[in-house]
Amino acid sequence: MKSLYYQFVNFIQGLNNLVFVTIWLLLVAVILILIVKFFKIYNGTQKHFEKLSYIILAILLIAVLVFLTYIRK
């Protein structure tokens, strides 16, 4: 029995190009929304960002995006 990782890799590689591009673009859109929210919540009076979790989620999603792109090749 194959491991879960290899099943996931085979699933990603077996996707139709249109479906993969759609998933990729959705991830990019979510990343951009998280980055915009991060900079929108900036509190100018206290000189710090209040919701750091948005940028952390965006970085994690960028890592997932790079991983999916690497697997696809």
Side-chain angles (χ1 to χ4, degrees):
M1 181 169 173
K2 292 184 179 180
S3 71
L4 187 60
Y5 172 75
Y6 288 115
Q7 288 178 356
F8 179 72
V9 169
N10 288 336
F11 173 73
I12 293 297
Q13 289 178 346
L15 283 176
N16 185 357
N17 287 339
L18 181 62
V19 174
F20 181 75
V21 169
T22 304
I23 292 170
W24 201 89
L25 288 175
L26 286 173
L27 278 174
V28 169
V30 169
I31 289 168
L32 291 176
I33 289 169
L34 288 172
I35 291 172
V36 166
K37 280 188 175 188
F38 174 72
F39 285 109
K40 189 176 181 181
I41 293 179
Y42 177 70
N43 188 348
T45 59
Q46 296 176 356
K47 303 292 184 207
H48 73 281
F49 295 99
E50 295 177 357
K51 291 280 187 177
L52 194 59
S53 60
Y54 288 135
I55 200 72
I56 292 171
L57 281 173
I59 291 170
L60 288 174
L61 285 176
I62 289 171
V64 167
L65 193 62
V66 168
F67 177 71
L68 288 177
T69 305
Y70 177 74
I71 285 177
R72 185 68 177 187
K73 288 184 178 182

